[in-house]
Amino acid sequence: MLLEIDHVTLRFAGNTAISDVAFDVAEGSIRSVIGPNGAGKTSLFNCITGFYHPQEGEVRLGGKSLRGSKPSAITELGISRTFQNVRLFQNMSVTENVMAGQHCRTRAGAVGAILQLPGQRAEEQQVREVTTECLEFVGLSHEADRIGTTLPYGHQRLVEIARALATQPRLILLDEPAAGLHTGEKNELIKLIQRIRDERNVSVLLIEHDMGLVMKVSDQIAVLDHGRKIADGNPEEIQNNPDVIEAYLGQEGEDEDLELA
């Protein structure tokens, strides 16, 4: 099993954000985590990536515990992520933003850069080649020289995904990648997520509110509500689960993106 979430509980000042949540992500799979707002989905992502440290349970990657590991160390081990709100570096080109994702894979250091040692030059060339390949993969090679934050919002999302792929991960965590996208962009995103798994052999863990996208792309789905896992199964099982239906339809003002049909 690639990733194991082993009965994780996270509390803040006595308030429980995640309560005894457990599920796995299989190698070569696309696994989604869904749930109403405030269900604990992003808090779970933060536990996986080392931004939060759960009081109980643990997260394991390839059988190795990530307990106490810093986010940078977890990235080096093979987990990358995007965020709910796009986080591109200001005043940096698309290429530079994606190159930044390779920081965890470089070793030449400051002295090598200053002296332009052969190892540093070879490493820089490798970084540029990986960056170019990642931009081609997400379809943004033609935007390589533009300032990242000047791109249309949907393209900024793709830059973030390219930067996450540049870390050369085993597992990529996508936090609401369809937020703010129109229908055509969402359809392209579905294809991209599938290609990440099929062409790059990278497993995917996805948080998403767009149920149409989730049902089309997911192998397995875990459902959180008020910090607890209330269901886990394939898309058909989740669609027909009465606890899931109640968790969503019990909310007032639910928008159409959360419909399970």
Side-chain angles (χ1 to χ4, degrees), residues 125-137:
Q125 178 63 29
Q126 175 68 16
V127 167
R128 290 190 175 276
E129 288 176 0
V130 171
T131 296
T132 298
E133 192 273 332
C134 288
L135 286 175
E136 289 176 352
F137 185 80

Side-chain angles (χ1 to χ4, degrees), residues 135-259:
L135 286 175
E136 289 176 352
F137 185 80
V138 302
L140 284 183
S141 55
H142 62 292
E143 305 279 22
D145 296 327
R146 285 187 60 178
I147 298 299
T149 52
T150 67
L151 295 180
Y153 184 76
H155 285 188
Q156 291 187 42
R157 288 262 180 207
L158 294 178
V159 175
E160 255 208 335
I161 292 173
R163 184 172 63 193
L165 290 173
T167 70
Q168 299 173 296
R170 300 171 64 188
L171 173 68
I172 185 170
L173 278 57
L174 303 177
D175 195 345
E176 297 193 29
L181 303 187
H182 59 65
T183 301
E185 290 172 326
K186 289 179 181 179
N187 290 334
E188 291 302 313
L189 177 63
I190 290 171
K191 296 176 185 177
L192 177 60
I193 293 171
Q194 292 169 332
R195 288 177 56 230
I196 288 172
R197 188 264 312 273
D198 297 339
E199 298 177 20
R200 301 186 70 91
N201 298 316
V202 176
S203 303
V204 179
L205 183 58
L206 171 73
I207 291 174
E208 186 50 65
H209 278 298
D210 187 306
M211 291 299 100
L213 185 152
V214 168
M215 295 300 165
K216 289 177 182 176
V217 81
S218 304
D219 298 312
Q220 294 288 312
I221 303 168
V223 187
L224 303 186
D225 189 28
H226 295 97
R228 293 183 175 275
K229 188 181 78 172
I230 62 170
D232 196 354
N234 62 42
E236 183 178 0
E237 291 169 335
I238 295 302
Q239 280 184 307
N240 295 311
N241 187 297
D243 292 333
V244 176
I245 295 170
E246 181 180 356
Y248 277 102
L249 300 185
Q251 295 185 102
E252 294 183 3
E254 199 65 64
D255 65 38
E256 62 181 9
D257 276 348
L258 294 181
E259 291 180 0

Side-chain angles (χ1 to χ4, degrees), residues 58-147:
E58 66 178 8
V59 179
R60 292 185 292 272
L61 179 69
K64 177 182 175 61
S65 175
L66 303 182
R67 179 178 290 277
S69 298
K70 295 180 180 180
S72 57
I74 291 173
T75 301
E76 287 187 21
L77 288 171
I79 297 178
S80 65
R81 72 173 294 180
T82 64
F83 295 86
Q84 278 184 328
N85 300 313
V86 175
R87 299 185 182 183
L88 298 185
F89 296 110
Q90 298 286 332
N91 302 316
M92 288 176 62
S93 70
V94 168
T95 291
E96 291 167 335
N97 266 280
V98 178
M99 287 177 69
Q102 288 243 351
H103 177 72
C104 68
R105 303 298 175 205
T106 57
R107 293 291 181 266
V111 173
I114 292 170
L115 299 179
Q116 287 289 292
L117 298 176
Q120 192 276 335
R121 292 196 295 270
E123 191 172 77
E124 182 178 344
Q125 178 63 29
Q126 175 68 16
V127 167
R128 290 190 175 276
E129 288 176 0
V130 171
T131 296
T132 298
E133 192 273 332
C134 288
L135 286 175
E136 289 176 352
F137 185 80
V138 302
L140 284 183
S141 55
H142 62 292
E143 305 279 22
D145 296 327
R146 285 187 60 178
I147 298 299

